[in-house]
Amino acid sequence: MKERLGRLPRPWLSALCLATCLLFCGLSWASALSFAAPSRTLLLGILCAAYVAVTPLYFATRRSTSPILPWHSGAALACLLTLLTPSLLQTDQLRYLWDGLQSYSGANPFRLTPSEALAKAGANAPSWAAFINHPELSTIYPPGAQLAFLVGTVLNPLFVSHAVLEWARPWLDQLPRTFFWPYELGWRCVVALSVFTTVFLLRRTRWDFLVFHPLFFLVVVMNVHVDALVLPCLVWMFRPAQKDVSQGVALGLGVLARWTPLLFTPAVFISWRRHAGVRLALVAFAVASLLVAMGVALYWRGAEGRFFASTKVYGEHWMFFGYLHRLVSDGLTLVGFAQQSILFAKISLALGFCAFVCFVLRRQLQRVFSLRLTCLLVLCGALAISPTLHPWYLLSLLCVGLPYMKTLWFPWVWPLLAPASYAFYVDGKDPLAVRLVVYAIVTLTFVVDFRRLFRSRTALHA
């Protein structure tokens, strides 16, 4: 009786869904257009309001026994929101636009940094290019993502048609300098297509646990992060095993979109070998490797040795909202390892992660853990030791953990808390109190979930 009272009738759920989407989109447009010289604190408040506004929808979704909208209606709504919602407090999408323009002009985005290219362009440089993050570094995004950026450039008439740009320029000049939506539109079409494909592939499951999660609204709908491209690849890769190499294609495309699926390669190969035989597993792995090699070769030749230059800088120097990495390095600093605390933290956590992966793979070989659960735990371990943990990194965790949303806490609680890192935008600092509160809750979910995993087999084979 209590459970039935906790659920709203389906017409009310549908109305809540539409009202939430309209409110989210409206708040985004209000923040994008209302401030000629925006205050970051004020914009952060609007971002929090938008995030809080969509949270009740997700909890209503969790209480529902089936998706609150038909899959095609949900896909259409998500795509429409992705196309119409302007970005807020993020400029990563400007790097996507820049890389796409570089590829369209025949330049290699791995070779020239934006600073170098802008110095050559002079007065012809686009106005929005001044807001590109880390202009001193060449691109960090894989070849598949680069091709997607190129498609986004081609789809935007502002980039490929000089006549359209000249016609629109007087109107564009009247907009706030921080309003980038007209330039993003082609890229938003690419992300909307990825969203539609993801929902289509999930249409017989609880796709709404992904699409109506507040993190999805924030990083996909609003800020169109490149991590959205890997979602359909992950969904296809984890479908029931088939006697073909299509899952190898999905793995290869996923790695080309984002390097993250490389973490899943051992577990996926074990699953392929078990269900399709060694020969077909080797063929599928070869197909995935060939796709990645072809993508890398496409951009390697003209990169002049810079293909992994920015990735190296990222791995060595960038630290933001880290979980175990930050806790361990801070702890080592307290006991007198101030000079080498970061290095020792990286080494110790890397060794611990390797041991954890070996343990999880062994459980998979023993048929205790399913492929999905193995990959979920491996991804969770990688995120836990990462020195940098932006909210959009947890989008893959949300996707891989879909079958466990009713049995485990961390696949949806951690992504729900991840946007707390936006507190950084108040004064440019990574607040210790915010991190400690977030990771105290996350640690508690780990303790509860891991006890559940090792005491019950009901969650292990989802």
Side-chain angles (χ1 to χ4, degrees), residues 65-320:
T65 56
S66 61
I68 61 180
L69 291 175
W71 76 265
H72 43 78
S73 299
L77 182 61
C79 291
L80 193 63
L81 274 178
T82 302
L83 290 173
L84 298 182
T85 305
S87 299
L88 179 60
L89 269 183
Q90 286 292 308
T91 56
D92 283 11
Q93 72 279 9
L94 300 185
R95 173 69 78 157
Y96 312 156
L97 305 184
W98 177 262
D99 287 356
L101 284 171
Q102 294 302 296
S103 295
Y104 184 74
S105 66
N108 190 324
F110 291 92
R111 182 173 64 87
L112 279 181
T113 68
S115 295
E116 294 168 342
L118 289 172
K120 292 181 179 181
N124 295 323
S127 59
W128 49 265
F131 297 93
I132 294 176
N133 279 336
H134 300 286
E136 74 283 0
L137 297 175
S138 57
T139 189
I140 197 173
Y141 300 107
Q146 297 298 330
L147 294 176
F149 302 157
L150 174 60
V151 172
T153 299
V154 173
L155 291 178
N156 194 331
L158 286 177
F159 292 145
V160 299
S161 173
H162 183 73
V164 172
L165 179 61
E166 289 304 314
W167 170 80
R169 191 180 299 279
W171 173 65
L172 294 172
D173 290 342
Q174 296 178 15
L175 295 173
R177 293 185 66 210
T178 53
F179 181 68
F180 310 118
W181 181 81
Y183 305 102
E184 300 173 2
L185 193 53
W187 170 243
R188 286 187 173 274
C189 290
V190 174
V191 174
L193 179 61
S194 179
V195 169
F196 182 88
T197 305
T198 301
V199 177
F200 174 77
L201 294 174
L202 290 171
R203 63 191 183 281
R204 294 186 177 90
T205 61
R206 292 304 302 269
W207 56 267
D208 51 332
F209 284 165
L210 173 66
V211 173
F212 293 145
H213 193 284
L215 185 71
F216 189 91
F217 274 87
L218 184 65
V219 304
V220 177
V221 170
M222 178 183 285
N223 289 315
V224 282
H225 273 284
V226 68
D227 296 71
L229 297 183
V230 81
L231 297 181
C233 300
L234 291 177
V235 174
W236 187 264
M237 193 171 68
F238 290 121
R239 73 189 183 118
Q242 304 291 322
K243 298 278 187 177
D244 55 38
V245 297
S246 60
Q247 287 172 301
V249 174
L251 176 61
L253 293 178
V255 172
L256 286 173
R258 209 75 163 113
W259 299 118
T260 305
L262 282 172
L263 293 167
F264 308 143
T265 304
V268 169
F269 182 78
I270 291 171
S271 177
W272 288 345
R273 189 194 65 176
R274 177 177 297 160
H275 293 99
V278 176
R279 181 178 298 178
L280 192 57
L282 288 173
V283 172
F285 181 75
V287 168
S289 302
L290 180 62
L291 283 173
V292 175
M294 290 171 58
V296 171
L298 186 63
Y299 285 93
W300 184 278
R301 184 177 180 182
E304 297 183 359
R306 285 185 169 185
F307 190 90
F308 289 112
S310 296
T311 305
K312 184 173 181 291
V313 172
Y314 172 86
E316 291 178 347
H317 302 290
W318 288 4
M319 288 176 42
F320 177 74

Side-chain angles (χ1 to χ4, degrees), residues 16 57 117-118 153 323 355 389 393:
L16 174 64
L57 173 62
L118 289 172
T153 299
Y323 177 25
L389 196 58
Y393 292 6

